[in-house]
Amino acid sequence: MDYLRVAGGRVLRPDGRAERADVAVDRDEGTIRAVGPPDEVDDAVGATADETLDASDSLVIPGLVNAHTHVAMTLLRGYADDKPLDPWLREDIWPAEAELTPDDVEAGAELGAVEMIRSGTTAFADMYFAMDRVADVVDRAGLRARLGHGVVTVGKGDADARADVEESLAVARELDGGADGRVRTAFMPHSLTTVGEEYLREGVAAAREAGVPVHLHANETTDEVDPIVDERGERPIAYAESLDALGPDDFFAHGVHLDEGEVDRLAEAGTAVVHCPASNMKLASGMAPVQRLREAGVTVALGTDGAASNNDLDVFDEMRDAAMLGKLAADDASAVPAAAVVEMATAGGADALNLPGGRVEAGAAADLAVVGLDAPHLTPVHDPVSHLAYAARGNDVRHTVCDGEILMRDREVLTLDAAAIQERAADAAADLVDRVDAAE
Ligand SMILES: CSC[C@H]1O[C@@H](n2cnc3c(O)ncnc32)[C@H](O)[C@@H]1O
Ligand SMILES: [Zn+2]
């Protein structure tokens, strides 16, 4: 086997302990072969390493999972700030997205991929347009992703609405298994209010037939929940259930305005919630009941949402925001502790997306981030898990590995040309804004 050894550091184990250990990676299989004391790992593998990644003064953690984003929205970072969701989308974001080309989506996705690799993210879920281009970027970057074309039918005639649903289903069927199996897919209606009932019903039925999960924005704002309650006399999660969209492989973004009954239904159904604390704060959408969701047994993951509402794709920021906001929401400083947000950003994310990874253990996918712990803002190290949640930042990541491949070594991205991508994305964003201005 082609053996990569991640050596000399501490390793975050699935039970939350950080122990001195090396990690033996089988690069042919893309899996972790063994985790153990440095003097025992070679014996466990029966070989000496072909290549070593230095993890001294560092913590080896599962690659982080960004479980809800719109990665190409990096082109709209800082384009429109300081508004609530609905006017932000209608006045600024959707008019700009109307001018987006597939080349723009590719440029924005490449920029997002560089940003994610640099901050230790190895897997993400993406809802957007031109998803064949996003899948191609995932392939070249060496990342893992669950991708879907986002459907919006409000404001469209029946033919266009059906075509949008069909496109999402076609993307889900055709891109699944790409990038040597690192690309998986989902049917992705934008939300329960921006897609009409008949389209949701037909699309979900077809997704069930194709065996792909459903991902949508749910219970994000009161402006979205109230019309569903007023018009249907039922809460959004009950509506989703009536559409057969509440399955164990499905995952909903936001879940801010959930009542007790909805939390219990999510737990019973096994549907995961992707908590997006930065986006929820920036758009003033509200505070998700994260502690309650976890206590009820719901799988909770973390997502940045798009870079226009965050404004970065750094899951370390999300961990810190989730811990801080979780305490405020529960009015309890012990709520959503460090270990919980680390779990949400790793195993919780992998479980929500039903993708490999999320745990550093023998047999698991070799998706890893090596976080340097020797910076002044991380000194002293009383508790490395506390540092992951509260003090570390994306640029503390030294190396990133996905599916056994080194994507970043010593802070240099190896799979993509980061400088060229940054320049291309800046040019694409400037041209996009010129086109938007001209269209107004
Ligand atoms: C139809 S593709 C996805 C669609 O979602 C928009 N979007 C970005 N952030 C959010 C959010 O927080 N809630 C709802 N929709 C969001 C994005 O701009 C695309 O149009
Ligand atoms: Zn979103």
Side-chain angles (χ1 to χ4, degrees):
M1 88 169 179
D2 182 4
Y3 169 18
L4 170 70
R5 180 165 165 174
V6 186
R10 278 194 272 183
V11 176
L12 181 67
R13 305 310 305 274
D15 63 5
R17 280 179 308 117
E19 62 182 23
R20 292 241 163 253
D22 286 3
V23 181
V25 171
D26 179 343
R27 288 200 281 205
D28 297 324
E29 296 293 326
T31 56
I32 296 170
R33 179 67 85 86
V35 184
D39 55 346
E40 292 176 17
V41 161
D42 284 356
D43 284 346
V45 172
T48 54
D50 296 290
E51 188 176 356
T52 301
L53 267 184
D54 175 44
S56 53
D57 297 321
S58 303
L59 183 67
V60 184
I61 66 171
L64 300 176
V65 180
N66 185 350
H68 175 76
T69 189
H70 314 279
V71 69
M73 290 186 83
T74 51
L75 294 196
L76 297 173
R77 192 196 319 267
Y79 174 71
D81 301 317
D82 310 324
K83 287 186 177 184
L85 177 65
D86 204 55
W88 177 76
L89 284 175
R90 288 175 198 280
E91 294 164 15
D92 302 294
I93 299 299
W94 283 345
E97 287 175 341
E99 299 297 324
L100 274 177
T101 65
D103 283 349
D104 292 332
V105 170
E106 181 174 312
E110 284 182 335
L111 182 64
V114 168
E115 196 180 343
M116 289 193 283
I117 292 169
R118 286 173 59 93
S119 53
T121 290
T122 54
F124 66 105
D126 202 61
M127 176 199 288
Y128 216 53
F129 320 105
M131 297 311 290
D132 54 332
R133 298 297 194 93
V134 179
D136 182 54
V137 172
V138 171
D139 190 9
R140 286 186 280 116
L143 290 163
R144 221 181 266 290
R146 193 166 281 279
L147 307 178
H149 168 88
V151 179
V152 175
T153 67
V154 278
K156 287 183 181 158
D158 183 59
D160 285 349
R162 281 184 195 286
D164 212 13
V165 171
E166 271 315 311
E167 180 161 0
S168 192
L169 293 167
V171 160
R173 288 189 201 104
E174 288 162 22
L175 298 183
D176 200 35
D180 296 323
R182 286 180 285 106
V183 167
R184 303 303 313 273
T185 57
F187 174 59
M188 297 197 183
H190 175 255
S191 77
L192 298 172
T193 51
T194 51
V195 181
E197 180 174 354
E198 63 178 302
Y199 307 114
L200 284 167
R201 209 169 280 290
E202 288 169 18
V204 171
R208 294 286 171 246
E209 221 159 272
V212 294
V214 176
H215 176 50
L216 45 80
H217 297 87
N219 299 56
E220 182 175 0
T221 63
T222 50
D223 286 347
E224 174 203 336
V225 171
D226 292 348
I228 294 175
V229 173
D230 292 348
E231 286 162 28
R232 310 190 60 83
E234 62 185 351
R235 301 273 311 169
I237 298 302
Y239 177 36
E241 188 165 23
S242 78
L243 298 164
D244 190 27
L246 202 68
D249 293 333
D250 301 335
F251 56 107
F252 292 175
H254 297 284
V256 173
H257 301 281
L258 294 163
D259 73 10
E260 292 284 316
E262 288 181 296
V263 171
D264 291 339
R265 280 308 299 135
L266 287 162
E268 284 157 13
T271 304
V273 170
V274 185
H275 178 40
C276 303
S279 172
N280 295 340
M281 287 192 282
K282 188 173 184 226
L283 302 173
S285 301
M287 299 188 282
V290 174
Q291 179 75 0
R292 171 78 182 91
L293 283 162
R294 285 178 57 85
E295 283 168 359
V298 176
T299 297
V300 183
L302 291 181
T304 58
D305 216 344
S309 60
N310 187 299
N311 286 4
D312 61 43
L313 304 182
D314 183 344
V315 174
F316 284 90
D317 280 1
E318 242 44 50
M319 285 195 271
R320 182 180 157 102
D321 287 347
M324 302 286 192
L325 188 61
K327 295 170 199 321
L328 202 58
D331 190 24
D332 175 1
S334 71
V336 196
V341 296
V342 171
E343 195 271 341
M344 288 155 61
T346 54
D351 292 349
L353 304 191
N354 200 9
L355 292 177
R359 294 166 181 86
V360 187
E361 63 186 4
D367 293 10
L368 305 168
V370 180
V371 185
L373 293 177
D374 53 354
H377 64 279
L378 300 176
T379 303
V381 185
H382 294 300
D383 174 1
V385 173
S386 166
H387 276 5
L388 289 177
Y390 294 116
R393 306 169 189 143
N395 59 13
D396 292 310
V397 175
R398 299 172 57 197
H399 319 299
T400 303
V401 175
C402 182
D403 202 30
E405 182 184 9
I406 304 172
L407 311 187
M408 180 174 76
R409 174 195 265 278
D410 294 323
R411 296 191 170 82
E412 183 194 352
V413 177
L414 302 181
T415 49
L416 298 171
D417 182 343
I421 283 170
Q422 197 174 332
E423 199 179 323
R424 178 185 175 198
D427 289 348
D431 289 351
L432 171 65
V433 172
D434 286 348
R435 293 200 301 278
V436 177
D437 290 346
E440 275 175 1

